[in-house]
PDB file of all heavy atoms in Angstrom:
ATOM      1  N   LEU A   1       5.034 -10.597  72.341  1.00  0.00           N
ATOM      2  CA  LEU A   1       4.777  -9.177  72.099  1.00  0.00           C
ATOM      3  C   LEU A   1       5.562  -8.298  73.068  1.00  0.00           C
ATOM      4  O   LEU A   1       6.147  -7.280  72.673  1.00  0.00           O
ATOM      5  CB  LEU A   1       3.280  -8.897  72.209  1.00  0.00           C
ATOM      6  CG  LEU A   1       2.415  -9.462  71.078  1.00  0.00           C
ATOM      7  CD1 LEU A   1       0.947  -9.490  71.473  1.00  0.00           C
ATOM      8  CD2 LEU A   1       2.611  -8.648  69.797  1.00  0.00           C
ATOM      9  N   ALA A   2       5.581  -8.681  74.341  1.00  0.00           N
ATOM     10  CA  ALA A   2       6.307  -7.897  75.342  1.00  0.00           C
ATOM     11  C   ALA A   2       7.805  -7.921  75.069  1.00  0.00           C
ATOM     12  O   ALA A   2       8.485  -6.890  75.179  1.00  0.00           O
ATOM     13  CB  ALA A   2       6.007  -8.433  76.740  1.00  0.00           C
ATOM     14  N   LYS A   3       8.326  -9.082  74.743  1.00  0.00           N
ATOM     15  CA  LYS A   3       9.764  -9.191  74.450  1.00  0.00           C
ATOM     16  C   LYS A   3      10.144  -8.303  73.265  1.00  0.00           C
ATOM     17  O   LYS A   3      11.160  -7.592  73.307  1.00  0.00           O
ATOM     18  CB  LYS A   3      10.144 -10.640  74.161  1.00  0.00           C
ATOM     19  CG  LYS A   3      11.569 -10.829  73.638  1.00  0.00           C
ATOM     20  CD  LYS A   3      11.904 -12.287  73.449  1.00  0.00           C
ATOM     21  CE  LYS A   3      13.080 -12.483  72.494  1.00  0.00           C
ATOM     22  NZ  LYS A   3      14.290 -11.756  72.834  1.00  0.00           N
ATOM     23  N   PHE A   4       9.341  -8.315  72.226  1.00  0.00           N
ATOM     24  CA  PHE A   4       9.676  -7.543  71.029  1.00  0.00           C
ATOM     25  C   PHE A   4       9.692  -6.047  71.318  1.00  0.00           C
ATOM     26  O   PHE A   4      10.699  -5.359  71.076  1.00  0.00           O
ATOM     27  CB  PHE A   4       8.674  -7.851  69.910  1.00  0.00           C
ATOM     28  CG  PHE A   4       8.919  -7.037  68.662  1.00  0.00           C
ATOM     29  CD1 PHE A   4      10.026  -7.279  67.865  1.00  0.00           C
ATOM     30  CD2 PHE A   4       8.045  -6.027  68.297  1.00  0.00           C
ATOM     31  CE1 PHE A   4      10.271  -6.540  66.726  1.00  0.00           C
ATOM     32  CE2 PHE A   4       8.267  -5.274  67.155  1.00  0.00           C
ATOM     33  CZ  PHE A   4       9.385  -5.528  66.361  1.00  0.00           C
ATOM     34  N   LEU A   5       8.607  -5.523  71.872  1.00  0.00           N
ATOM     35  CA  LEU A   5       8.503  -4.080  72.047  1.00  0.00           C
ATOM     36  C   LEU A   5       9.480  -3.557  73.100  1.00  0.00           C
ATOM     37  O   LEU A   5      10.188  -2.572  72.875  1.00  0.00           O
ATOM     38  CB  LEU A   5       7.067  -3.702  72.442  1.00  0.00           C
ATOM     39  CG  LEU A   5       6.823  -2.209  72.689  1.00  0.00           C
ATOM     40  CD1 LEU A   5       7.081  -1.400  71.416  1.00  0.00           C
ATOM     41  CD2 LEU A   5       5.412  -1.967  73.200  1.00  0.00           C
ATOM     42  N   SER A   6       9.545  -4.200  74.246  1.00  0.00           N
ATOM     43  CA  SER A   6      10.362  -3.671  75.346  1.00  0.00           C
ATOM     44  C   SER A   6      11.836  -3.671  74.991  1.00  0.00           C
ATOM     45  O   SER A   6      12.577  -2.755  75.373  1.00  0.00           O
ATOM     46  CB  SER A   6      10.113  -4.489  76.615  1.00  0.00           C
ATOM     47  OG  SER A   6       8.768  -4.372  77.028  1.00  0.00           O
ATOM     48  N   ASN A   7      12.276  -4.672  74.240  1.00  0.00           N
ATOM     49  CA  ASN A   7      13.691  -4.714  73.881  1.00  0.00           C
ATOM     50  C   ASN A   7      14.040  -3.758  72.749  1.00  0.00           C
ATOM     51  O   ASN A   7      15.200  -3.360  72.629  1.00  0.00           O
ATOM     52  CB  ASN A   7      14.089  -6.146  73.525  1.00  0.00           C
ATOM     53  CG  ASN A   7      14.294  -6.991  74.763  1.00  0.00           C
ATOM     54  OD1 ASN A   7      15.200  -6.745  75.544  1.00  0.00           O
ATOM     55  ND2 ASN A   7      13.431  -7.974  74.967  1.00  0.00           N
ATOM     56  N   LYS A   8      13.069  -3.387  71.945  1.00  0.00           N
ATOM     57  CA  LYS A   8      13.337  -2.364  70.940  1.00  0.00           C
ATOM     58  C   LYS A   8      13.440  -0.980  71.589  1.00  0.00           C
ATOM     59  O   LYS A   8      14.180  -0.118  71.118  1.00  0.00           O
ATOM     60  CB  LYS A   8      12.248  -2.362  69.865  1.00  0.00           C
ATOM     61  CG  LYS A   8      12.268  -3.593  68.962  1.00  0.00           C
ATOM     62  CD  LYS A   8      13.617  -3.755  68.299  1.00  0.00           C
ATOM     63  CE  LYS A   8      13.657  -5.000  67.420  1.00  0.00           C
ATOM     64  NZ  LYS A   8      15.049  -5.254  66.921  1.00  0.00           N
ATOM     65  N   ARG A   9      12.721  -0.765  72.678  1.00  0.00           N
ATOM     66  CA  ARG A   9      12.763   0.526  73.345  1.00  0.00           C
ATOM     67  C   ARG A   9      13.943   0.660  74.316  1.00  0.00           C
ATOM     68  O   ARG A   9      14.425   1.766  74.575  1.00  0.00           O
ATOM     69  CB  ARG A   9      11.457   0.750  74.115  1.00  0.00           C
ATOM     70  CG  ARG A   9      10.235   0.908  73.247  1.00  0.00           C
ATOM     71  CD  ARG A   9      10.424   2.018  72.206  1.00  0.00           C
ATOM     72  NE  ARG A   9      10.864   3.266  72.805  1.00  0.00           N
ATOM     73  CZ  ARG A   9      11.643   4.169  72.193  1.00  0.00           C
ATOM     74  NH1 ARG A   9      12.098   3.949  70.980  1.00  0.00           N
ATOM     75  NH2 ARG A   9      11.967   5.280  72.812  1.00  0.00           N
ATOM     76  N   CYS A  10      14.412  -0.448  74.850  1.00  0.00           N
ATOM     77  CA  CYS A  10      15.423  -0.390  75.901  1.00  0.00           C
ATOM     78  C   CYS A  10      16.701   0.351  75.495  1.00  0.00           C
ATOM     79  O   CYS A  10      17.144   1.245  76.225  1.00  0.00           O
ATOM     80  CB  CYS A  10      15.742  -1.811  76.387  1.00  0.00           C
ATOM     81  SG  CYS A  10      16.919  -1.868  77.756  1.00  0.00           S
ATOM     82  N   PRO A  11      17.344   0.030  74.373  1.00  0.00           N
ATOM     83  CA  PRO A  11      18.571   0.764  74.034  1.00  0.00           C
ATOM     84  C   PRO A  11      18.354   2.265  73.899  1.00  0.00           C
ATOM     85  O   PRO A  11      19.213   3.059  74.305  1.00  0.00           O
ATOM     86  CB  PRO A  11      19.003   0.138  72.702  1.00  0.00           C
ATOM     87  CG  PRO A  11      18.393  -1.228  72.704  1.00  0.00           C
ATOM     88  CD  PRO A  11      17.073  -1.052  73.404  1.00  0.00           C
ATOM     89  N   ALA A  12      17.223   2.659  73.339  1.00  0.00           N
ATOM     90  CA  ALA A  12      16.947   4.091  73.169  1.00  0.00           C
ATOM     91  C   ALA A  12      16.802   4.780  74.519  1.00  0.00           C
ATOM     92  O   ALA A  12      17.292   5.894  74.725  1.00  0.00           O
ATOM     93  CB  ALA A  12      15.685   4.277  72.338  1.00  0.00           C
ATOM     94  N   VAL A  13      16.135   4.127  75.469  1.00  0.00           N
ATOM     95  CA  VAL A  13      15.968   4.718  76.797  1.00  0.00           C
ATOM     96  C   VAL A  13      17.307   4.831  77.500  1.00  0.00           C
ATOM     97  O   VAL A  13      17.634   5.865  78.108  1.00  0.00           O
ATOM     98  CB  VAL A  13      14.981   3.875  77.633  1.00  0.00           C
ATOM     99  CG1 VAL A  13      14.952   4.347  79.081  1.00  0.00           C
ATOM    100  CG2 VAL A  13      13.577   3.957  77.029  1.00  0.00           C
ATOM    101  N   VAL A  14      18.108   3.787  77.439  1.00  0.00           N
ATOM    102  CA  VAL A  14      19.395   3.812  78.138  1.00  0.00           C
ATOM    103  C   VAL A  14      20.322   4.867  77.560  1.00  0.00           C
ATOM    104  O   VAL A  14      20.998   5.594  78.298  1.00  0.00           O
ATOM    105  CB  VAL A  14      20.055   2.414  78.096  1.00  0.00           C
ATOM    106  CG1 VAL A  14      21.464   2.471  78.674  1.00  0.00           C
ATOM    107  CG2 VAL A  14      19.213   1.410  78.877  1.00  0.00           C
ATOM    108  N   VAL A  15      20.367   5.009  76.238  1.00  0.00           N
ATOM    109  CA  VAL A  15      21.265   5.999  75.660  1.00  0.00           C
ATOM    110  C   VAL A  15      20.797   7.416  75.964  1.00  0.00           C
ATOM    111  O   VAL A  15      21.621   8.327  76.162  1.00  0.00           O
ATOM    112  CB  VAL A  15      21.432   5.782  74.139  1.00  0.00           C
ATOM    113  CG1 VAL A  15      20.230   6.263  73.345  1.00  0.00           C
ATOM    114  CG2 VAL A  15      22.704   6.446  73.646  1.00  0.00           C
ATOM    115  N   GLU A  16      19.498   7.647  76.053  1.00  0.00           N
ATOM    116  CA  GLU A  16      19.009   8.974  76.448  1.00  0.00           C
ATOM    117  C   GLU A  16      19.378   9.269  77.905  1.00  0.00           C
ATOM    118  O   GLU A  16      19.752  10.395  78.240  1.00  0.00           O
ATOM    119  CB  GLU A  16      17.497   9.062  76.249  1.00  0.00           C
ATOM    120  CG  GLU A  16      17.049   9.135  74.804  1.00  0.00           C
ATOM    121  CD  GLU A  16      17.356  10.470  74.129  1.00  0.00           C
ATOM    122  OE1 GLU A  16      17.839  11.413  74.809  1.00  0.00           O
ATOM    123  OE2 GLU A  16      17.122  10.574  72.910  1.00  0.00           O
ATOM    124  N   ALA A  17      19.258   8.265  78.767  1.00  0.00           N
ATOM    125  CA  ALA A  17      19.656   8.457  80.162  1.00  0.00           C
ATOM    126  C   ALA A  17      21.149   8.737  80.254  1.00  0.00           C
ATOM    127  O   ALA A  17      21.590   9.572  81.064  1.00  0.00           O
ATOM    128  CB  ALA A  17      19.291   7.213  80.975  1.00  0.00           C
ATOM    129  N   MET A  18      21.940   8.045  79.438  1.00  0.00           N
ATOM    130  CA  MET A  18      23.376   8.300  79.401  1.00  0.00           C
ATOM    131  C   MET A  18      23.656   9.741  78.994  1.00  0.00           C
ATOM    132  O   MET A  18      24.510  10.433  79.580  1.00  0.00           O
ATOM    133  CB  MET A  18      24.036   7.336  78.416  1.00  0.00           C
ATOM    134  CG  MET A  18      25.532   7.533  78.241  1.00  0.00           C
ATOM    135  SD  MET A  18      26.219   6.435  76.961  1.00  0.00           S
ATOM    136  CE  MET A  18      26.176   4.879  77.833  1.00  0.00           C
ATOM    137  N   GLU A  19      22.923  10.222  78.011  1.00  0.00           N
ATOM    138  CA  GLU A  19      23.123  11.580  77.521  1.00  0.00           C
ATOM    139  C   GLU A  19      22.743  12.628  78.567  1.00  0.00           C
ATOM    140  O   GLU A  19      23.311  13.721  78.598  1.00  0.00           O
ATOM    141  CB  GLU A  19      22.307  11.789  76.244  1.00  0.00           C
ATOM    142  CG  GLU A  19      22.623  13.070  75.508  1.00  0.00           C
ATOM    143  CD  GLU A  19      21.907  13.163  74.178  1.00  0.00           C
ATOM    144  OE1 GLU A  19      21.880  12.157  73.449  1.00  0.00           O
ATOM    145  OE2 GLU A  19      21.362  14.250  73.880  1.00  0.00           O
ATOM    146  N   VAL A  20      21.793  12.294  79.439  1.00  0.00           N
ATOM    147  CA  VAL A  20      21.428  13.217  80.517  1.00  0.00           C
ATOM    148  C   VAL A  20      22.645  13.551  81.373  1.00  0.00           C
ATOM    149  O   VAL A  20      22.832  14.684  81.819  1.00  0.00           O
ATOM    150  CB  VAL A  20      20.305  12.606  81.383  1.00  0.00           C
ATOM    151  CG1 VAL A  20      20.130  13.381  82.684  1.00  0.00           C
ATOM    152  CG2 VAL A  20      18.991  12.597  80.610  1.00  0.00           C
ATOM    153  N   LEU A  21      23.502  12.558  81.606  1.00  0.00           N
ATOM    154  CA  LEU A  21      24.695  12.780  82.415  1.00  0.00           C
ATOM    155  C   LEU A  21      25.828  13.417  81.626  1.00  0.00           C
ATOM    156  O   LEU A  21      26.888  13.724  82.199  1.00  0.00           O
ATOM    157  CB  LEU A  21      25.192  11.459  83.009  1.00  0.00           C
ATOM    158  CG  LEU A  21      24.566  11.004  84.324  1.00  0.00           C
ATOM    159  CD1 LEU A  21      23.087  10.654  84.155  1.00  0.00           C
ATOM    160  CD2 LEU A  21      25.317   9.816  84.908  1.00  0.00           C
ATOM    161  N   GLY A  22      25.639  13.615  80.332  1.00  0.00           N
ATOM    162  CA  GLY A  22      26.697  14.196  79.528  1.00  0.00           C
ATOM    163  C   GLY A  22      27.900  13.269  79.475  1.00  0.00           C
ATOM    164  O   GLY A  22      27.770  12.044  79.404  1.00  0.00           O
ATOM    165  N   GLY A  23      29.082  13.853  79.529  1.00  0.00           N
ATOM    166  CA  GLY A  23      30.302  13.060  79.450  1.00  0.00           C
ATOM    167  C   GLY A  23      30.423  12.034  80.553  1.00  0.00           C
ATOM    168  O   GLY A  23      30.978  10.946  80.340  1.00  0.00           O
ATOM    169  N   MET A  24      29.902  12.355  81.741  1.00  0.00           N
ATOM    170  CA  MET A  24      29.992  11.404  82.847  1.00  0.00           C
ATOM    171  C   MET A  24      29.232  10.120  82.548  1.00  0.00           C
ATOM    172  O   MET A  24      29.605   9.041  83.007  1.00  0.00           O
ATOM    173  CB  MET A  24      29.455  12.026  84.134  1.00  0.00           C
ATOM    174  CG  MET A  24      30.461  12.889  84.873  1.00  0.00           C
ATOM    175  SD  MET A  24      31.995  12.017  85.270  1.00  0.00           S
ATOM    176  CE  MET A  24      31.383  10.680  86.292  1.00  0.00           C
ATOM    177  N   GLY A  25      28.175  10.212  81.768  1.00  0.00           N
ATOM    178  CA  GLY A  25      27.412   9.020  81.438  1.00  0.00           C
ATOM    179  C   GLY A  25      28.177   8.047  80.571  1.00  0.00           C
ATOM    180  O   GLY A  25      27.836   6.867  80.508  1.00  0.00           O
ATOM    181  N   TYR A  26      29.230   8.534  79.910  1.00  0.00           N
ATOM    182  CA  TYR A  26      30.037   7.700  79.020  1.00  0.00           C
ATOM    183  C   TYR A  26      31.248   7.106  79.737  1.00  0.00           C
ATOM    184  O   TYR A  26      32.059   6.413  79.134  1.00  0.00           O
ATOM    185  CB  TYR A  26      30.499   8.547  77.832  1.00  0.00           C
ATOM    186  CG  TYR A  26      30.823   7.775  76.586  1.00  0.00           C
ATOM    187  CD1 TYR A  26      29.827   7.098  75.892  1.00  0.00           C
ATOM    188  CD2 TYR A  26      32.120   7.746  76.089  1.00  0.00           C
ATOM    189  CE1 TYR A  26      30.124   6.386  74.738  1.00  0.00           C
ATOM    190  CE2 TYR A  26      32.426   7.043  74.931  1.00  0.00           C
ATOM    191  CZ  TYR A  26      31.427   6.364  74.265  1.00  0.00           C
ATOM    192  OH  TYR A  26      31.713   5.665  73.116  1.00  0.00           O
ATOM    193  N   VAL A  27      31.353   7.379  81.028  1.00  0.00           N
ATOM    194  CA  VAL A  27      32.518   6.978  81.816  1.00  0.00           C
ATOM    195  C   VAL A  27      32.144   5.814  82.725  1.00  0.00           C
ATOM    196  O   VAL A  27      31.054   5.792  83.306  1.00  0.00           O
ATOM    197  CB  VAL A  27      33.038   8.182  82.633  1.00  0.00           C
ATOM    198  CG1 VAL A  27      34.163   7.769  83.569  1.00  0.00           C
ATOM    199  CG2 VAL A  27      33.513   9.283  81.695  1.00  0.00           C
ATOM    200  N   GLU A  28      33.068   4.852  82.869  1.00  0.00           N
ATOM    201  CA  GLU A  28      32.797   3.648  83.652  1.00  0.00           C
ATOM    202  C   GLU A  28      32.634   3.920  85.146  1.00  0.00           C
ATOM    203  O   GLU A  28      32.263   3.016  85.893  1.00  0.00           O
ATOM    204  CB  GLU A  28      33.907   2.620  83.438  1.00  0.00           C
ATOM    205  CG  GLU A  28      34.036   2.109  82.015  1.00  0.00           C
ATOM    206  CD  GLU A  28      32.946   1.121  81.630  1.00  0.00           C
ATOM    207  OE1 GLU A  28      32.199   0.675  82.514  1.00  0.00           O
ATOM    208  OE2 GLU A  28      32.843   0.784  80.433  1.00  0.00           O
ATOM    209  N   ASP A  29      32.897   5.142  85.610  1.00  0.00           N
ATOM    210  CA  ASP A  29      32.614   5.477  87.007  1.00  0.00           C
ATOM    211  C   ASP A  29      31.124   5.404  87.300  1.00  0.00           C
ATOM    212  O   ASP A  29      30.719   5.287  88.462  1.00  0.00           O
ATOM    213  CB  ASP A  29      33.110   6.891  87.338  1.00  0.00           C
ATOM    214  CG  ASP A  29      34.627   6.982  87.382  1.00  0.00           C
ATOM    215  OD1 ASP A  29      35.274   5.924  87.444  1.00  0.00           O
ATOM    216  OD2 ASP A  29      35.151   8.109  87.342  1.00  0.00           O
ATOM    217  N   THR A  30      30.299   5.507  86.278  1.00  0.00           N
ATOM    218  CA  THR A  30      28.853   5.405  86.429  1.00  0.00           C
ATOM    219  C   THR A  30      28.395   4.043  85.882  1.00  0.00           C
ATOM    220  O   THR A  30      29.115   3.391  85.122  1.00  0.00           O
ATOM    221  CB  THR A  30      28.131   6.518  85.655  1.00  0.00           C
ATOM    222  OG1 THR A  30      28.171   6.218  84.244  1.00  0.00           O
ATOM    223  CG2 THR A  30      28.790   7.877  85.898  1.00  0.00           C
ATOM    224  N   PRO A  31      27.187   3.607  86.220  1.00  0.00           N
ATOM    225  CA  PRO A  31      26.679   2.327  85.689  1.00  0.00           C
ATOM    226  C   PRO A  31      26.196   2.400  84.248  1.00  0.00           C
ATOM    227  O   PRO A  31      25.880   1.361  83.664  1.00  0.00           O
ATOM    228  CB  PRO A  31      25.490   2.006  86.621  1.00  0.00           C
ATOM    229  CG  PRO A  31      25.594   2.944  87.765  1.00  0.00           C
ATOM    230  CD  PRO A  31      26.306   4.145  87.259  1.00  0.00           C
ATOM    231  N   LEU A  32      26.144   3.587  83.655  1.00  0.00           N
ATOM    232  CA  LEU A  32      25.510   3.706  82.338  1.00  0.00           C
ATOM    233  C   LEU A  32      26.213   2.906  81.241  1.00  0.00           C
ATOM    234  O   LEU A  32      25.538   2.282  80.397  1.00  0.00           O
ATOM    235  CB  LEU A  32      25.397   5.184  81.946  1.00  0.00           C
ATOM    236  CG  LEU A  32      24.114   5.925  82.370  1.00  0.00           C
ATOM    237  CD1 LEU A  32      22.872   5.225  81.831  1.00  0.00           C
ATOM    238  CD2 LEU A  32      24.011   6.058  83.864  1.00  0.00           C
ATOM    239  N   PRO A  33      27.547   2.871  81.167  1.00  0.00           N
ATOM    240  CA  PRO A  33      28.161   2.041  80.128  1.00  0.00           C
ATOM    241  C   PRO A  33      27.790   0.568  80.243  1.00  0.00           C
ATOM    242  O   PRO A  33      27.528  -0.090  79.228  1.00  0.00           O
ATOM    243  CB  PRO A  33      29.665   2.275  80.337  1.00  0.00           C
ATOM    244  CG  PRO A  33      29.742   3.648  80.910  1.00  0.00           C
ATOM    245  CD  PRO A  33      28.554   3.730  81.835  1.00  0.00           C
ATOM    246  N   LEU A  34      27.752   0.033  81.456  1.00  0.00           N
ATOM    247  CA  LEU A  34      27.344  -1.367  81.641  1.00  0.00           C
ATOM    248  C   LEU A  34      25.918  -1.575  81.150  1.00  0.00           C
ATOM    249  O   LEU A  34      25.623  -2.543  80.435  1.00  0.00           O
ATOM    250  CB  LEU A  34      27.465  -1.753  83.111  1.00  0.00           C
ATOM    251  CG  LEU A  34      27.128  -3.199  83.495  1.00  0.00           C
ATOM    252  CD1 LEU A  34      27.903  -3.605  84.745  1.00  0.00           C
ATOM    253  CD2 LEU A  34      25.638  -3.395  83.758  1.00  0.00           C
ATOM    254  N   LEU A  35      25.023  -0.667  81.520  1.00  0.00           N
ATOM    255  CA  LEU A  35      23.626  -0.786  81.110  1.00  0.00           C
ATOM    256  C   LEU A  35      23.489  -0.665  79.588  1.00  0.00           C
ATOM    257  O   LEU A  35      22.679  -1.366  78.973  1.00  0.00           O
ATOM    258  CB  LEU A  35      22.788   0.278  81.807  1.00  0.00           C
ATOM    259  CG  LEU A  35      22.720   0.181  83.337  1.00  0.00           C
ATOM    260  CD1 LEU A  35      22.059   1.429  83.920  1.00  0.00           C
ATOM    261  CD2 LEU A  35      21.977  -1.069  83.776  1.00  0.00           C
ATOM    262  N   TYR A  36      24.285   0.214  78.992  1.00  0.00           N
ATOM    263  CA  TYR A  36      24.216   0.403  77.545  1.00  0.00           C
ATOM    264  C   TYR A  36      24.694  -0.840  76.807  1.00  0.00           C
ATOM    265  O   TYR A  36      24.100  -1.244  75.804  1.00  0.00           O
ATOM    266  CB  TYR A  36      25.067   1.610  77.150  1.00  0.00           C
ATOM    267  CG  TYR A  36      24.984   1.973  75.687  1.00  0.00           C
ATOM    268  CD1 TYR A  36      23.778   2.380  75.121  1.00  0.00           C
ATOM    269  CD2 TYR A  36      26.108   1.928  74.876  1.00  0.00           C
ATOM    270  CE1 TYR A  36      23.695   2.719  73.784  1.00  0.00           C
ATOM    271  CE2 TYR A  36      26.035   2.272  73.526  1.00  0.00           C
ATOM    272  CZ  TYR A  36      24.822   2.662  72.993  1.00  0.00           C
ATOM    273  OH  TYR A  36      24.735   3.002  71.666  1.00  0.00           O
ATOM    274  N   ARG A  37      25.764  -1.466  77.310  1.00  0.00           N
ATOM    275  CA  ARG A  37      26.245  -2.698  76.683  1.00  0.00           C
ATOM    276  C   ARG A  37      25.227  -3.829  76.832  1.00  0.00           C
ATOM    277  O   ARG A  37      25.126  -4.708  75.970  1.00  0.00           O
ATOM    278  CB  ARG A  37      27.582  -3.119  77.310  1.00  0.00           C
ATOM    279  CG  ARG A  37      28.755  -2.252  76.934  1.00  0.00           C
ATOM    280  CD  ARG A  37      30.068  -2.884  77.384  1.00  0.00           C
ATOM    281  NE  ARG A  37      30.174  -2.991  78.827  1.00  0.00           N
ATOM    282  CZ  ARG A  37      30.696  -2.076  79.627  1.00  0.00           C
ATOM    283  NH1 ARG A  37      31.173  -0.947  79.088  1.00  0.00           N
ATOM    284  NH2 ARG A  37      30.777  -2.249  80.923  1.00  0.00           N
TER     285      ARG A  37
END
């Protein structure tokens, strides 16, 4: 149950965090692209 729910939420959380940084969140200078992949 934990594996199913947490992994369905993870990509959505990471992409929202990426969007908080705007364009910088999409740049490899930050950790967000690694986390998103």
Side-chain angles (χ1 to χ4, degrees):
L1 289 163
K3 171 177 160 54
F4 177 70
L5 179 62
S6 297
N7 282 295
K8 290 304 179 188
R9 293 306 308 149
C10 183
V13 171
V14 173
V15 76
E16 288 288 355
M18 178 184 286
E19 190 174 316
V20 167
L21 274 67
M24 277 304 300
Y26 204 66
V27 174
E28 297 285 350
D29 289 345
T30 75
L32 270 303
L34 182 153
L35 297 170
Y36 185 63
R37 288 190 296 269

